[in-house]
């Protein structure tokens, strides 16, 4: 199996993300201009959130969090022939790239910057100082862990991916749970609630997949 060069992987991820963002912007625009049955005027009953709101902070941070999950899924997809792992990676790529596009699309529609001026996680009531190892937020893999995943093949790559993604999902579910309880917009609350359910389900699936390979999370 031929390993995918990091530069090629990065270009593919950027192109995929850009395409998803364009689609998401179109969908968000339709939501804004299309008349709603609950609102005869067609206008949203909720105003755009503030730049320092939970909604904006979650959208920015989770977009970054999701980007790495997509990247790791692309990596493992090309390093194993196991259909179950490849199917999981494909699902993560599609789900999280789409959700990332939606969040960036909402930020665009709200007229808010897509990157925060300060440190991440401030919207949760605390801040995280990014470490020198490349891990920007809780649950995110370090540069060394990404390099190890890139170098691994077959079952070794599968186990490492499942372990890294389990940690990634646990932190992501915690972030989503916080946003579901504190966000002011229906869009973010509904998306966050769906993320919690989806990622917790995949955590259980990955625990079973690790067990099948004689490995622990």
């Amino acid at each position: 199996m031929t390993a995918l060069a990091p530069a090629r992987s990065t270009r593919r991820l950027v192109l995929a993300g850009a395409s998803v963002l364009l689609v998401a912007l179109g969908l968000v625009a339709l939501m804004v201009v299309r008349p709603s049955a609950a609102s005869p005027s067609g206008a949203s009953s909720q105003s755009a959130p503030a730049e320092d709101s939970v909604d904006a902070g979650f959208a920015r941070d989770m977009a970054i969090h999701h980007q790495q999950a997509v990247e790791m899924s692309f990596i493992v997809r090309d390093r194993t022939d196991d259909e179950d792992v490849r199917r999981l990676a494909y699902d993560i790529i599609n789900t999280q790239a789409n959700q990332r596009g939606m969040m960036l699309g909402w930020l665009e529609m709200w007229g808010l910057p897509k990157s925060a001026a300060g440190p991440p996680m401030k919207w949760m009531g605390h801040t995280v100082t990014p470490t020198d190892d490349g891990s920007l937020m809780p649950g995110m893999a370090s540069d060394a862990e990404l390099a190890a995943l890139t170098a691994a093949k077959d079952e070794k790559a599968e186990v490492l991916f499942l372990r890294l993604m389990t940690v990634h999902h646990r932190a992501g579910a915690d972030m989503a749970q916080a946003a579901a309880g504190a966000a002011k917009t229906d869009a973010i609350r509904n998306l966050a609630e769906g993320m919690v359910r989806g990622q917790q389900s995949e955590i259980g699936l990955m625990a079973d997949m690790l067990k099948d390979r004689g490995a622990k999370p």
Side-chain angles (χ1 to χ4, degrees):
M1 188 177 300
T2 303
L4 188 66
R8 181 181 172 189
S9 178
T10 300
R11 286 196 299 271
R12 180 169 57 183
L13 182 59
V14 170
L15 290 172
S19 298
V20 170
L21 176 56
L22 288 174
V23 172
L25 284 171
L27 291 174
V28 173
L30 286 173
M31 291 168 62
V32 172
V33 302
R34 183 178 179 181
S36 168
S39 176
S41 66
S44 172
S45 61
Q46 295 176 315
S47 59
E51 185 171 343
D52 61 351
S53 65
V54 168
D55 305 70
F58 172 76
R60 293 187 189 107
D61 286 350
M62 190 57 81
I64 294 172
H65 216 264
H66 272 18
Q67 182 175 1
Q68 190 186 72
V70 172
E71 179 183 359
M72 289 194 294
S73 298
F74 268 126
I75 292 172
V76 77
R77 190 197 64 172
D78 295 330
R79 280 156 179 78
T80 178
D81 291 325
D82 185 270
E83 287 302 318
D84 290 336
V85 173
R86 287 173 60 86
R87 187 179 301 110
L88 173 62
Y90 181 82
D91 287 345
I92 292 173
I93 289 168
N94 281 275
T95 299
Q96 297 209 14
N98 181 57
Q99 291 174 344
R100 181 175 184 270
M102 291 172 66
M103 291 182 287
L104 294 177
W106 285 326
L107 288 169
E108 180 77 19
M109 295 301 298
W110 292 334
L112 299 176
K114 298 181 183 67
S115 59
M121 311 295 286
K122 188 175 180 180
W123 60 273
M124 284 186 69
H126 61 272
T127 57
V128 174
T129 301
T131 59
D132 293 335
D133 66 1
S135 178
L136 301 179
M137 281 176 275
M140 292 188 70
S142 66
D143 291 338
E145 288 170 330
L146 290 176
L149 180 60
T150 301
K153 291 184 178 181
D154 302 323
E155 188 169 297
K156 185 177 180 179
E158 296 162 17
V159 170
L160 182 54
F161 169 76
L162 292 169
R163 284 174 170 164
L164 291 175
M165 194 58 73
T166 295
V167 174
H168 203 276
H169 271 21
R170 284 173 179 162
D174 287 344
M175 292 169 64
Q177 187 70 61
K184 301 301 182 185
T185 63
D186 291 338
I188 292 295
R189 281 198 305 271
N190 293 339
L191 180 63
E193 289 170 359
M195 284 181 188
V196 173
R197 293 191 296 270
Q199 295 198 19
Q200 286 179 342
S201 176
E202 287 183 346
I203 288 170
L205 172 63
M206 291 188 289
D208 290 340
M209 294 172 74
L210 283 167
K211 184 177 179 181
D212 291 342
R213 290 161 176 76
K216 296 181 179 180

